[in-house]
Amino acid sequence: MTDLRQRFQDADQGHVFRFWNELDPIAQKRLEEQAGQVDLELVALHRSLLTPGESPSAPQFHPPQLFPAQPQDELAEHAGRARTRGAELLEQGKVGYLLVAGGQGSRLGFDGPKGMYPVGPVTDISLFAWHAARLKAAANRHGHQAPWYVMTSATNDAATRAFFAEQEYFGLPKDKVHFFSQAMVPALDMEGRIMMAQKDQLFLAPNGHGGTLHALAQSGLLRQAMNQGIETLSYFQVDNPLARPACPLFLGLHSLAGAGMSSKVVAKTDPGEKVGVLGTADGQLGCIEYSDLPAESRDARDENGDLVFRAGNIAVHALQTQFVDQLTRDGLDLPWHLARKEMNVVGDSGAMETRPGVKFETFIFDALAKSPASVTLEVERHLEFSPVKNAEGSDSPDSCRKHMTDLFAQWLRVAQMPEPERDGLGAARLEIDPCFAENETEFLGRMPADPQAQERGNLYR
Ligand code: UTP
């Protein structure tokens, strides 16, 4: 303990122990253990980032080469080959699913891991269960149940594991579901001092989805996946129920290009939409933050009238296990992003107070710059992207349920089936089990050859 305190003193973080004498032995032990895990060198690095250095000259931005959502001619032929290749990878067990669910979901304000949020328009099925159903459906389609790696963080790990166990892994084989936890890093006040959540607890926050790569390697799961012949990890986020982790086209394009890391994007139609776009900055592929893109680039349109910088990032990636292995062995150093927030912390007097502070995160898309080759596939937003981020308004449970039901209603229309009535928000009570159909073509394929209206209606009742 003396040694630990000394190290914190030397790092100018001795205040962490200022309530030590008020703590009972259990609380003292808790604080000692937590403090013992802090990487003080990293904290010093974070502290140095609070003082802005000289601003670098503005980078040159360029849009990425996009593989279009509606390929024509040779691209359509290439897409056909890619679908076949992707399906082979899925059938041969060379793909693993990587879900990131370690975030705090603070905007949604749901009491529990975001993956437990009941998103199903009819069944209230949780996000986790919905994703699981899609993975089960993919296993039925490709004849192979791929492993599912689920990243949690200290804040939601126990609750997530308990939920999966309670729900019997949503019908997936238990030995195909693997959890691992990302690292947590201390939040700092504006002077660079570690903030305290309680007198015996540091204010720790998950280190961002960029932490996935190290956490996967450190957990031993990356090695295990490679030993099992997994070549590609299909990465998606817990808050987007429309994500399609078993997408043969995307996996196939990525594989045929010999890419290390690839991305799906959706077209931004409004230049004012505050979403990061994929592009290169001084030749390095990555995600350009909305606020970093100069107005003339943001508003620029090509000869078809489409935005030049339209590749809206939806955080869906394919990553080669080999690429992740290489990166993490080389001491992956993704840049740190600072999020300034008001935080509830213990003040100097010992009372709780709200103070400005800074959280530090790395982002997965920064690894794109390290990939020797990369595919950027444009997909249709209404088919693949509707995240649950906010409690209300855009990107909320209501908007997501509406997008889900709009999509299912479209399948019903094509199948000439009656649609259920819509509520005041324009959403129908309509949900199609991913194990029944995952897309319009599959839905049509599952319909009886000459269905009577009654029979059709029964299918979704
Ligand atoms: P967001 O950036 O939307 O953050 O995460 P969030 O934590 O879910 O929500 P807010 O910002 O607190 O409201 C996008 C995805 O990345 C995961 C989240 O779980 C979500 O699937 N994520 C985010 C992590 O796994 N770890 C992190 O440290 C951050």
Side-chain angles (χ1 to χ4, degrees):
M1 192 53 210
T2 320
D3 181 42
L4 184 67
R5 280 181 92 139
Q6 190 58 51
R7 284 199 286 120
F8 272 73
Q9 288 289 2
D10 294 347
D12 192 24
Q13 301 289 357
H15 65 283
V16 156
F17 299 104
R18 65 189 182 282
F19 303 111
W20 185 259
N21 294 336
E22 295 175 32
L23 302 178
D24 63 34
I26 295 175
Q28 287 181 340
K29 185 94 196 120
R30 193 162 37 229
L31 179 57
E32 185 186 344
E33 273 176 16
Q34 216 184 32
Q37 288 173 12
V38 170
D39 178 347
L40 286 168
E41 274 182 31
L42 184 62
V43 172
L45 170 75
H46 286 168
R47 191 174 203 164
S48 71
L49 299 176
L50 294 176
T51 324
E54 264 180 42
S55 28
S57 53
Q60 287 287 322
F61 294 120
H62 289 285
Q65 185 167 15
L66 288 179
F67 194 91
Q70 309 283 353
Q72 307 292 328
D73 308 325
E74 300 108 81
L75 287 184
E77 281 167 31
H78 187 65
R81 283 192 295 277
R83 272 196 201 87
T84 308
R85 176 89 188 107
E88 278 166 11
L89 292 172
L90 288 158
E91 278 152 28
Q92 294 165 0
K94 294 189 172 161
V95 176
Y97 304 115
L98 176 54
L99 175 75
V100 289
Q104 294 179 304
S106 38
R107 284 169 285 172
L108 182 62
F110 175 61
D111 186 18
K114 206 192 251 188
M116 286 170 57
Y117 194 89
V119 75
V122 176
T123 58
D124 277 346
I125 185 175
S126 66
L127 280 160
F128 280 137
W130 181 262
H131 291 305
R134 286 205 135 175
L135 302 191
K136 242 189 317 178
N140 292 341
R141 222 174 300 128
H142 301 287
H144 178 86
Q145 183 71 65
W148 188 15
Y149 306 101
V150 179
M151 185 174 81
T152 62
S153 61
T155 47
N156 62 23
D157 183 69
T160 302
R161 288 174 192 251
F163 187 63
F164 271 70
E166 196 184 289
Q167 305 267 322
E168 296 180 348
Y169 298 83
F170 317 107
L172 293 169
K174 185 175 170 215
D175 63 349
K176 293 286 182 183
V177 183
H178 307 276
F179 299 96
F180 65 105
S181 228
Q182 68 183 112
M184 307 282 284
V185 290
L188 304 183
D189 68 14
M190 303 316 273
E191 280 74 53
R193 290 166 13 126
I194 294 174
M195 304 237 260
M196 301 295 288
Q198 300 287 335
K199 288 181 178 173
D200 62 344
Q201 271 177 51
L202 312 184
F203 195 119
L204 300 175
N207 64 351
H209 39 63
T212 312
L213 304 178
H214 255 310
L216 188 70
Q218 271 166 3
S219 67
L221 288 169
L222 179 65
R223 178 68 24 218
Q224 191 193 89
M226 293 175 85
N227 290 344
Q228 286 172 1
I230 306 276
E231 292 175 2
T232 308
L233 295 166
S234 179
Y235 171 104
F236 61 114
Q237 298 191 333
V238 74
D239 53 19
N240 178 21
L242 297 189
R244 297 184 56 224
C247 173
L249 172 64
F250 181 47
L251 294 166
L253 287 172
H254 169 79
S255 168
L256 292 177
M261 178 171 178
S262 296
S263 315
K264 278 188 180 180
V265 296
V266 296
K268 243 179 90 166
T269 46
D270 170 9
E273 186 190 350
K274 291 193 171 67
V275 63
V277 288
L278 258 58
T280 59
D282 291 340
Q284 303 260 58
L285 184 62
C287 184
I288 308 165
E289 301 229 20
Y290 171 80
S291 50
D292 288 347
L293 201 58
E296 65 274 18
S297 302
R298 205 170 57 213
D299 299 339
R301 294 193 181 263
D302 63 17
E303 62 283 2
N304 302 320
D306 295 325
L307 289 171
V308 172
F309 287 92
R310 65 172 176 281
N313 179 25
I314 60 167
V316 171
H317 301 287
L319 291 133
Q320 288 305 94
T321 45
Q322 194 95 57
F323 172 68
V324 179
D325 187 44
Q326 186 79 57
L327 282 187
T328 47
R329 274 165 195 266
D330 291 352
L332 174 67
D333 58 340
L334 297 177
W336 289 95
H337 297 254
L338 281 57
R340 292 179 168 78
K341 296 200 169 149
E342 291 293 313
M343 299 176 194
N344 269 342
V345 294
V346 178
D348 288 333
S349 67
M352 294 304 289
E353 55 184 54
T354 306
R355 285 175 55 186
V358 185
K359 288 186 189 177
F360 298 83
E361 295 187 319
T362 59
F363 295 152
I364 190 92
F365 51 68
D366 284 323
L368 282 166
K370 324 247 176 204
S371 177
S374 183
V375 174
T376 310
L377 170 64
E378 185 176 327
V379 295
E380 307 264 7
R381 182 187 296 242
H382 74 286
L383 298 180
E384 305 209 21
F385 186 57
S386 184
V388 178
K389 300 273 185 203
N390 305 312
E392 51 192 30
S394 63
D395 295 345
S396 69
D398 281 344
S399 68
C400 181
R401 284 198 197 101
K402 171 145 183 354
H403 291 146
M404 288 172 89
T405 53
D406 282 351
L407 186 59
F408 301 143
Q410 163 70 14
W411 302 356
L412 294 186
R413 268 196 298 280
V414 175
Q416 298 178 327
M417 287 174 58
E419 277 181 58
E421 278 178 22
R422 289 177 179 265
D423 64 17
L425 294 166
R429 293 268 297 161
L430 174 60
E431 184 178 324
I432 295 175
D433 185 339
C435 289
F436 181 76
E438 206 219 8
N439 55 47
E440 187 179 295
T441 315
E442 208 172 65
F443 184 72
L444 286 174
R446 297 294 299 265
M447 300 310 294
D450 180 22
Q452 297 301 307
Q454 179 63 36
E455 212 179 337
R456 289 165 165 169
N458 279 340
L459 277 169
Y460 64 86
R461 231 166 251 140

